[in-house]
Amino acid sequence: MIVDCAIYREGHRSEGPHDFSDALDEARSAGGFVWIGLHEPTADEFDLVAQEFSLHPLAVEDALKAHQRPKLEVYDDSLFVVLKPVGYEPQSDTVSSGEVMIFLGDSFAVTVRHGEDAPLGAVRRRLEREPELLGEGPTSVLYAVADAVVDHYLDVATELQTDLEELEAEVFTPDGGGSRHTASKIYNFKRQILEFRRATGPLALPMTRLAGVGTYGGKVPFVEDRARPFFRDVHDHLTRVNESVEGLDRLVSDILSAHLAQMSVRQNDDMRKISAWAAMAAVPTMIAGIYGMNFEHMPELRWEWSYPVVVLVMVGLEVLLFRLFKRRGWL
């Protein structure tokens, strides 16, 4: 579905013709660019766009099928960038991700959105309120979308950090860590961090190239050199996000290890208590078993005080064992 199509001249919007080819020609003649936004387009809808803007077939296939890793690919007539915006639902502790594909070329930008976690409408409105930035051409679209996606990563990382602190407090409470559902909650939280990591981790290399830093920071076609400082800012934010994700992943692993260690300690405590009670039960059982044998000749068998003496011995031994186990912390 085509969500929006407009021509931008010197940072100001004007409605473009319905025909994409005419819109592109008009944008080029006026020194502006055309920006087309699509949401989960069908093959027929996108085939028209691909033909008019000479998009590479491999990039078109990726844009239609989605489920791509964040990446940056350079073709003869266009630049193809994939971003994965994410959303977080605190009630269910679930990280969801969508996809945004951006085609940049000579005087055009085409954005393709899959899923609901994509801020393209808000990005377009924000850019239209900043004509100086929008006047930089199609590069401003790529920067604004990447900036919005990465800034939302920071918000999601903050939400995850808050929920992780709550989970950590639950694990280390006297009774909370013993819940049978705690391990599954920790493991589910780790899966959400992995989903988040799939969106943020692979984006580091494309942002490095766009920012012009590091080994891979060469010139990128269809991206203005004067836009490099803006992409460096996005790159810095992404680095913070990736460091935060790494820290969250390590903390979750540590919490899971601590929880398993707590469970092991509790099991050992339970086994000590069971062993102590079993030992205390074994003493009277043994004495009663001996005197319960049907032998005719047994010591003190016919003695008048045999029964109370044996009971007192049993009680004395039980008290002795109880105090011994109590002193050692087994009971």
Side-chain angles (χ1 to χ4, degrees):
M1 180 178 65
I2 299 175
V3 178
D4 201 351
C5 176
I7 295 175
Y8 295 91
R9 303 182 181 91
E10 297 181 354
H12 298 283
R13 177 187 177 115
S14 62
E15 299 301 325
H18 294 291
D19 184 83
F20 296 145
S21 180
D22 293 341
L24 183 59
D25 292 339
E26 182 178 337
R28 286 174 175 170
S29 63
F33 72 97
V34 59
W35 180 3
I36 299 174
L38 302 99
H39 178 228
E40 298 181 357
T42 64
D44 292 336
E45 289 174 337
F46 201 65
D47 185 59
L48 178 61
V49 177
Q51 290 179 5
E52 294 294 344
F53 294 98
S54 302
L55 304 181
H56 196 279
L58 293 177
V60 171
E61 181 181 359
D62 289 345
L64 287 173
K65 292 184 177 180
H67 303 294
Q68 303 295 316
R69 286 166 54 90
K71 61 182 179 179
L72 183 153
E73 294 181 349
V74 178
Y75 297 101
D76 293 337
D77 298 319
S78 63
L79 179 70
F80 180 57
V81 180
V82 178
L83 304 172
K84 291 182 74 70
V86 299
Y88 184 62
E89 177 53 52
Q91 301 300 325
S92 58
D93 296 336
T94 303
V95 173
S96 59
S97 62
E99 289 185 41
V100 174
M101 286 83 167
I102 305 171
F103 294 88
L104 289 188
D106 181 17
S107 302
F108 72 86
V110 177
T111 54
V112 182
R113 176 168 63 94
H114 291 268
E116 301 302 324
D117 299 301
L120 295 190
V123 169
R124 188 185 287 262
R125 290 190 294 270
R126 191 193 81 182
L127 274 177
E128 290 175 353
R129 292 193 297 268
E130 301 180 22
E132 292 184 0
L133 178 60
L134 194 54
E136 296 295 329
T139 303
S140 63
V141 176
L142 176 58
Y143 159 70
V145 174
D147 184 55
V149 169
V150 173
D151 281 351
H152 193 59
Y153 286 166
L154 291 169
D155 296 335
V156 173
T158 301
E159 292 283 347
L160 287 171
Q161 181 66 45
T162 300
D163 287 351
L164 180 60
E165 290 173 357
E166 294 176 357
L167 182 60
E168 185 178 18
E170 177 183 339
V171 168
F172 289 104
T173 54
D175 298 325
S179 172
R180 60 181 178 179
H181 300 297
T182 303
S184 62
K185 289 176 64 176
I186 297 173
Y187 183 72
N188 179 67
F189 197 87
K190 192 172 180 65
R191 288 183 62 88
Q192 303 313 312
I193 293 177
L194 178 61
E195 180 69 22
F196 189 28
R197 199 172 187 174
R198 287 173 180 163
T200 64
L203 187 57
L205 181 57
M207 283 297 110
T208 298
R209 294 181 62 185
L210 291 171
V213 297
T215 306
Y216 301 97
K219 180 175 176 58
V220 178
F222 308 107
V223 175
E224 300 292 337
D225 289 339
R226 57 180 177 271
R228 291 289 179 88
F230 296 94
F231 286 110
R232 280 199 293 270
D233 181 66
V234 177
H235 178 267
D236 291 342
H237 290 177
L238 181 63
T239 300
R240 286 173 51 196
V241 171
N242 282 326
E243 290 174 351
S244 178
V245 172
E246 289 288 339
L248 288 172
D249 189 54
R250 286 195 299 269
L251 279 174
V252 171
S253 298
D254 292 342
I255 290 173
L256 181 58
S257 299
H259 171 67
L260 295 177
Q262 282 183 321
M263 295 299 294
S264 178
V265 170
R266 287 192 180 93
Q267 288 176 352
N268 290 336
D269 289 340
D270 293 340
M271 288 301 299
R272 283 199 296 266
K273 292 178 181 178
I274 293 172
S275 299
W277 286 112
M280 292 174 63
V283 171
T285 301
M286 179 188 68
I287 296 175
I290 292 174
Y291 280 93
M293 293 186 294
N294 296 321
F295 292 114
E296 183 177 353
H297 302 287
M298 293 182 66
E300 296 87 25
L301 188 61
R302 301 184 183 279
W303 185 34
E304 181 179 356
W305 298 99
S306 296
Y307 177 76
V309 169
V310 169
V311 171
L312 287 174
V313 169
M314 289 183 182
V315 172
L317 290 174
E318 290 297 294
V319 171
L320 179 63
L321 288 174
F322 181 82
R323 295 184 63 182
L324 177 63
F325 291 140
K326 193 72 173 178
R327 186 180 300 115
R328 293 186 176 182
W330 285 36
L331 293 174

